[in-house]
Amino acid sequence: MGDVIDVAGAGASAVLLWGGLALMVFGIAKLVMVPLAVAFEWREHRRSRRGHHTLLNEKPWVSVIVPAYNEGPVLNGCVRSLITNGYERLEVVIVDDGSTDDTPAVAAELAARYPQVRLVRQENAGKGAALNRGIAVAGGEVLLFVDSDGIFAPGAVAEMLRGFDRPDVGAVCGDDRPVNLNRIQTRLLAILSHAGTGMVRRALTMIGCLPIVSGNVGAFPREVISEIGGFDETTVGEDLELTWRVHRAGYRVVFRPRALVYAESPSTIRTLWRQRVRWARGLLQTMRIHRSMIGNPRYGAFGIYLVVNTLTMIVMPLLQLLVLTSLPVVSAVGTVPVQGSTVAVLGWLGIAVSLVVVGFATLLNRAARDLRHLWTVPLWPVYATALAAVMACALWKEARGGPASWNKMTRTGVVSVQDLRERPAREPVSVRASPPVLVRRAPRHRLAVDAFGEPGRTYRMRGRAA
């Protein structure tokens, strides 16, 4: 019996030492995101000073597709923030996916009040089906997919169009932030989003490896959607899967940090868990569908990056759980591989670095007001451990082949962001109710200066051969 205990202690000690070392090294390596994010800002500053030509200069028709299922408390705020956003050549297509609350009545009132708004109703078929229905009836040259709880900051639509500044840009992702900052949990999510979303998306855009266009705010040229197809209705990660198809077709995916949308974050542990499990299952399903892309140099840097993404999103969380489960064994047997003082120093150093990185990312996002939530960062290890358990749960559910449901959050309509609460309620300029006849051609760019050719040359948007 003693031999078994000794072997178990030695094994747990090895897991704790080498697993902990691997996690630490991987965490340090991720700090490369910081200089990449700074390089992104420097590049964008240079482009803005040069007056870089973008799709916004051509004023294309934009169709905003809003899938809605039981979104009565939030739909009005979302639609009003879109039609008062400052971009006139825009239509809003609300697709009611068989709602059982007052969503149809709210949507009908909006459609009757504003000529830019159209309402389409269907039997409940899921978010992917609702988005595809919206694509079918929309008439814009650019399709902007949003969630019904999103409140768009002024100028966000125009900022999304500025992202189309090269012929091979196939998708643009905006910056989504929590709007309901009335709980400790949502305040933690708000402060972490600046690093995990804002800073990371900047860095990944720099190397051409942004893996997801958020379902909260994502824009695609119609030509690209026509080429690669609409949303996959069989996965709960339809936004992630579509983004990988954009990369597969050879297009670039870019981030526009000034295109802000504020949406509800889970305010309870139960809703957060269910949402994150759904996201993790969406990732696993997308990886299964596009497994041939992972590590494949045929898809350029993105194919190679998917190996790193697999390590970050799947391997490291499982290793983290393994290290944590080894702690009780090591403590019981007394075979701690490192001194307690060393662990304490590393722990405090980790918290200090986390505070610095999160603070820097918050300032990079020009959200200094959110620094008041910095006191929640010490809860980050608890949150990270929960996310590791989420991935283990998602792997178990996918292995069993269990049904993947949306587990939709109940909307509260809470708006805690001061700028949005103080936003003036102004009526939009009246424009035509819908865009002209459906446009199948690609938008054209007249680039003043571009690495692809001579000044003034016209380019048709297209991707690399897959």
Side-chain angles (χ1 to χ4, degrees), residues 286-370:
T286 299
M287 291 178 66
R288 183 175 65 249
I289 294 170
H290 298 288
R291 55 188 176 273
S292 64
M293 294 181 68
I294 300 175
N296 191 339
R298 179 184 182 187
Y299 302 105
F302 184 71
I304 305 302
Y305 168 75
L306 289 181
V307 176
V308 178
N309 190 64
T310 301
L311 290 172
T312 302
M313 304 301 295
I314 299 178
V315 177
M316 289 299 148
L318 296 180
L319 181 59
Q320 180 181 349
L321 289 179
L322 192 60
V323 169
L324 289 175
T325 54
S326 70
L327 285 173
V329 178
V330 169
S331 299
V333 177
T335 56
V336 180
V338 292
Q339 294 182 353
S341 59
T342 303
V343 174
V345 169
L346 291 176
W348 284 110
L349 181 61
I351 292 176
V353 172
S354 298
L355 287 171
V356 171
V357 170
V358 171
F360 168 78
T362 304
L363 295 176
L364 194 66
N365 262 354
R366 303 178 185 178
R369 186 182 296 173
D370 283 354

Side-chain angles (χ1 to χ4, degrees), residues 196-377:
T197 299
M199 188 177 73
V200 170
R201 287 179 181 173
R202 283 177 172 89
L204 293 179
T205 296
M206 282 298 296
I207 59 176
C209 296
L210 184 60
I212 184 169
V213 172
S214 171
N216 280 337
V217 53
F220 301 76
R222 175 177 287 279
E223 182 202 46
V224 173
I225 297 298
S226 298
E227 176 186 341
I228 68 176
F231 288 89
D232 188 330
E233 300 177 15
T234 65
T235 176
V236 293
E238 75 290 326
D239 49 358
L240 180 67
E241 192 279 329
L242 182 66
T243 307
W244 285 31
R245 263 190 285 143
V246 171
H247 281 287
R248 182 183 283 273
Y251 292 98
R252 293 173 57 87
V253 179
V254 302
F255 177 53
R256 295 301 298 176
R258 309 294 179 247
L260 297 178
V261 60
Y262 295 85
E264 287 196 20
S265 289
S267 57
T268 66
I269 294 176
R270 183 170 182 264
T271 54
L272 179 63
W273 174 270
R274 296 173 73 176
Q275 183 194 65
R276 293 314 199 250
V277 169
R278 173 169 56 82
W279 287 4
R281 295 191 69 178
L283 170 63
L284 295 172
Q285 291 168 6
T286 299
M287 291 178 66
R288 183 175 65 249
I289 294 170
H290 298 288
R291 55 188 176 273
S292 64
M293 294 181 68
I294 300 175
N296 191 339
R298 179 184 182 187
Y299 302 105
F302 184 71
I304 305 302
Y305 168 75
L306 289 181
V307 176
V308 178
N309 190 64
T310 301
L311 290 172
T312 302
M313 304 301 295
I314 299 178
V315 177
M316 289 299 148
L318 296 180
L319 181 59
Q320 180 181 349
L321 289 179
L322 192 60
V323 169
L324 289 175
T325 54
S326 70
L327 285 173
V329 178
V330 169
S331 299
V333 177
T335 56
V336 180
V338 292
Q339 294 182 353
S341 59
T342 303
V343 174
V345 169
L346 291 176
W348 284 110
L349 181 61
I351 292 176
V353 172
S354 298
L355 287 171
V356 171
V357 170
V358 171
F360 168 78
T362 304
L363 295 176
L364 194 66
N365 262 354
R366 303 178 185 178
R369 186 182 296 173
D370 283 354
L371 289 175
R372 70 189 190 277
H373 306 310
L374 205 59
W375 61 270
T376 64
V377 171

Side-chain angles (χ1 to χ4, degrees), residues 113-124:
R113 184 174 182 182
Y114 301 115
Q116 301 95 329
V117 179
R118 301 164 59 190
L119 171 61
V120 178
R121 301 190 64 182
Q122 65 177 31
E123 296 295 324
N124 182 253

Side-chain angles (χ1 to χ4, degrees), residues 20-301:
L21 183 62
L23 289 172
M24 184 176 67
V25 170
F26 201 77
I28 293 173
K30 289 171 67 175
L31 292 176
V32 72
M33 297 292 182
V34 175
L36 285 174
V38 172
F40 175 94
E41 285 296 308
W42 178 74
R43 185 188 67 178
E44 292 302 305
H45 177 68
R46 286 190 61 195
R47 287 183 175 181
S48 64
R49 291 186 62 184
R50 290 201 313 246
H52 198 65
H53 189 97
T54 70
L55 186 57
L56 177 62
N57 298 98
E58 300 177 13
K59 301 295 182 184
W61 270 98
V62 177
S63 292
V64 185
I65 300 174
V66 188
Y69 175 72
N70 292 349
E71 304 283 3
V74 295
L75 183 60
N76 183 73
C78 173
V79 173
R80 282 182 56 81
S81 72
L82 284 164
I83 59 180
T84 63
N85 206 257
Y87 189 80
E88 295 182 8
R89 295 174 62 83
L90 173 145
E91 68 165 348
V92 179
V93 180
I94 304 173
V95 183
D96 173 47
D97 189 38
S99 297
T100 57
D101 67 350
D102 63 342
T103 296
V106 173
E109 192 277 332
L110 288 167
R113 184 174 182 182
Y114 301 115
Q116 301 95 329
V117 179
R118 301 164 59 190
L119 171 61
V120 178
R121 301 190 64 182
Q122 65 177 31
E123 296 295 324
N124 182 253
K127 184 179 180 181
L131 288 166
N132 286 333
R133 180 72 182 279
I135 293 172
V137 303
E141 296 172 273
V142 176
L143 304 176
L144 177 59
F145 303 109
V146 308
D147 285 344
S148 301
D149 62 320
I151 299 179
F152 286 73
V157 175
E159 190 64 28
M160 292 292 286
L161 294 177
R162 286 191 181 95
F164 294 101
D165 60 353
R166 291 175 49 159
D168 60 347
V169 174
V172 175
C173 178
D175 190 3
D176 44 339
R177 302 179 186 177
V179 71
N180 51 329
L181 306 179
N182 59 333
R183 302 286 182 89
I184 293 176
Q185 178 172 293
T186 54
R187 291 173 183 177
L188 173 64
L189 295 175
I191 197 70
L192 294 184
S193 71
H194 295 300
T197 299
M199 188 177 73
V200 170
R201 287 179 181 173
R202 283 177 172 89
L204 293 179
T205 296
M206 282 298 296
I207 59 176
C209 296
L210 184 60
I212 184 169
V213 172
S214 171
N216 280 337
V217 53
F220 301 76
R222 175 177 287 279
E223 182 202 46
V224 173
I225 297 298
S226 298
E227 176 186 341
I228 68 176
F231 288 89
D232 188 330
E233 300 177 15
T234 65
T235 176
V236 293
E238 75 290 326
D239 49 358
L240 180 67
E241 192 279 329
L242 182 66
T243 307
W244 285 31
R245 263 190 285 143
V246 171
H247 281 287
R248 182 183 283 273
Y251 292 98
R252 293 173 57 87
V253 179
V254 302
F255 177 53
R256 295 301 298 176
R258 309 294 179 247
L260 297 178
V261 60
Y262 295 85
E264 287 196 20
S265 289
S267 57
T268 66
I269 294 176
R270 183 170 182 264
T271 54
L272 179 63
W273 174 270
R274 296 173 73 176
Q275 183 194 65
R276 293 314 199 250
V277 169
R278 173 169 56 82
W279 287 4
R281 295 191 69 178
L283 170 63
L284 295 172
Q285 291 168 6
T286 299
M287 291 178 66
R288 183 175 65 249
I289 294 170
H290 298 288
R291 55 188 176 273
S292 64
M293 294 181 68
I294 300 175
N296 191 339
R298 179 184 182 187
Y299 302 105

